[in-house]
Amino acid sequence: MSGSTKGRRRAPMTMAATAVAALALTACGAGGSREVGAASSSPSPSETASETAPKEVASLTPRAVVTYDGGLLTVDTASGEVVDDTAKEGFLRLNNAGDGRHVMVSDGDVFRVYDTGLDAHKHGDHYHYRESAPELTDVTFDAPHAGHVVVHDGKTTLFGDGDGSITTFESEALKHGAPDATERKTEHPHHGVALELADGTLFTTQGTEDERHTVRVLGKDGAVKAETTDCPGVHGEAAAAPGASTDTVMAGCENGPVIYRDGKFHKVAVADAYARSGNLAGSEKSPIVLGDYKVDEDAEQERPTRVALFDTRDGSHGLVDLGSSYWFRSLARGPEGEALVLTYDGKLNVIDEESGKVVRKIDVIQPWEEKADWQEAGPAIKVAGSSAYVTDAQNKKLHVVDLTKGEVAKTIDLPQTPVELAVVTGKPEAPAREEKAHGHGSHGHGSHEGHDHAHDDAAPSAGAEGHGGHGH
């Protein structure tokens, strides 16, 4: 990992031996590099310190970060005020970094760390809340074709599609600058994903740029603990409620997903010869994983109306027809594990994940349709607490949906057309399990959506996929 110049803010406003060869394990001291870029228009050190110094506040309101063509901006979702607008060229991807404060920005061949300025600091049986001005920090992680970012059990894992690099660090360590990180690599570069499980094992894909069908769980020594090769086109992952002895993680495949549970892989049996679920959304409050469901192998751009609910307890699944299509940014999970899908008719479908019944349809935005080019702006949904945050790219708006009441509680006008979206609250998105047991966590979501687009099986390109740098 090497340094990258600090982004300039614009007008801030307020197995055995083969397994060991397959995964070279090396410890690295400073996981992220730091380098400050100079600029003649930069404020003096004293001005910068005054502007960015954290102040204690009585409470925190969520901040939404959106990318647009030319940069990224941060909005206070209570006041609707734009609190930062950072100029940055290129197609940028966003993912929560895991500590509740930072957002990972996938920018070509590097992961950049963006500080939203929110921090809920645990102190005994209560929190202290601190707020500061957002900024694009000088902490970076080099990764050719920067790809997936996964937060799970207090750890953040980055995957580089261009070299198969896997970088893992304690999520909370980002609050203190460049974190110490563990670096590993897959056998070959490919469009992949990895995450460290609670027992210290590593869940990761294996493959090449041309073909991928293998998922492994590796021990701390690199030895294969579990493996499946029955996952053609493996793409996307999501963690569900833990099993009896290990974490439970699902990976999407083109012939039905695979489930890692209690130390073994299990195949989901599907009726269709081709059944691709490359976009998955999980919740550690539920054993059910929400996924897309595509059955036309030859379609240039399939527009399914059905979603799948996969039960990780027994490998069963059910299909729910919503009567309207959706895309890879449409899937999310609610605070109690309910399945959420934003469809072309502008409605947010709330599905009881156990019964498969649509219990509510909430009118949120105007009818829309996925464009031919997945990088063109379209709606996105993220959940924090009991609210869903939905962008309306066509009208430059951000809607805050109260999931308890089933209605839009607030609409915020945006100065730019939103593309990617991340929402932070100051509290960690996926705290370590022992912290959850003591009530230190906030969301209970230890997974992410794996995203998909029409040319997924092409050579990976930077910024193409669910977590940066992937084909959708």
Side-chain angles (χ1 to χ4, degrees), residues 320-322 349-352 355-361:
V320 181
D321 197 326
L322 301 174
N349 297 262
V350 182
I351 308 169
D352 181 286
S355 68
K357 301 294 185 183
V358 179
V359 296
R360 182 175 281 168
K361 287 179 177 281

Side-chain angles (χ1 to χ4, degrees), residues 67-119:
T67 62
Y68 61 89
D69 184 10
L72 62 161
L73 55 86
T74 300
V75 178
D76 182 303
T77 60
S79 66
E81 177 190 8
V82 175
V83 293
D84 181 67
D85 189 344
T86 295
K88 191 76 182 67
E89 294 302 320
F91 187 76
L92 308 174
R93 307 304 308 273
L94 297 180
N95 288 280
N96 290 68
D99 65 344
R101 173 173 175 171
H102 293 89
V103 171
M104 302 302 300
V105 182
S106 301
D107 180 16
D109 293 331
V110 65
F111 291 102
R112 303 185 186 279
V113 178
Y114 180 80
D115 185 352
T116 69
L118 296 186
D119 183 21

Side-chain angles (χ1 to χ4, degrees), residues 81-222:
E81 177 190 8
V82 175
V83 293
D84 181 67
D85 189 344
T86 295
K88 191 76 182 67
E89 294 302 320
F91 187 76
L92 308 174
R93 307 304 308 273
L94 297 180
N95 288 280
N96 290 68
D99 65 344
R101 173 173 175 171
H102 293 89
V103 171
M104 302 302 300
V105 182
S106 301
D107 180 16
D109 293 331
V110 65
F111 291 102
R112 303 185 186 279
V113 178
Y114 180 80
D115 185 352
T116 69
L118 296 186
D119 183 21
H121 178 69
K122 183 71 177 176
H123 186 248
D125 61 352
H126 63 282
Y127 285 97
H128 286 275
Y129 301 109
R130 299 187 180 99
E131 191 176 86
S132 57
E135 65 174 347
L136 188 63
T137 75
D138 53 354
V139 179
T140 64
F141 300 86
D142 285 350
H145 300 306
H148 274 285
V149 177
V150 183
V151 296
H152 179 75
D153 199 59
K155 299 283 185 64
T156 303
T157 301
L158 316 176
F159 194 95
D161 288 348
D163 61 355
S165 60
I166 299 168
T167 303
T168 303
F169 54 85
E170 297 281 349
S171 305
E172 288 282 323
L174 279 176
K175 293 182 179 180
H176 308 292
D180 289 342
T182 300
E183 289 191 328
R184 294 163 279 200
K185 275 195 175 183
T186 58
E187 289 177 325
H188 305 287
H190 67 284
H191 178 48
V193 67
L195 71 153
E196 187 169 309
L197 306 183
D199 59 7
T201 57
L202 184 76
F203 178 101
T204 185
T205 58
Q206 294 284 350
T208 68
E209 290 188 3
D210 300 318
E211 181 184 12
R212 56 187 189 274
H213 52 72
T214 300
V215 189
R216 289 175 179 163
V217 174
L218 302 164
K220 294 179 181 179
D221 60 355

Side-chain angles (χ1 to χ4, degrees), residues 424-443:
V424 297
T425 64
K427 294 182 180 180
E429 292 85 15
R433 192 155 296 143
E434 59 270 20
E435 293 178 353
K436 296 173 195 170
H438 291 88
H440 294 189
S442 58
H443 299 299

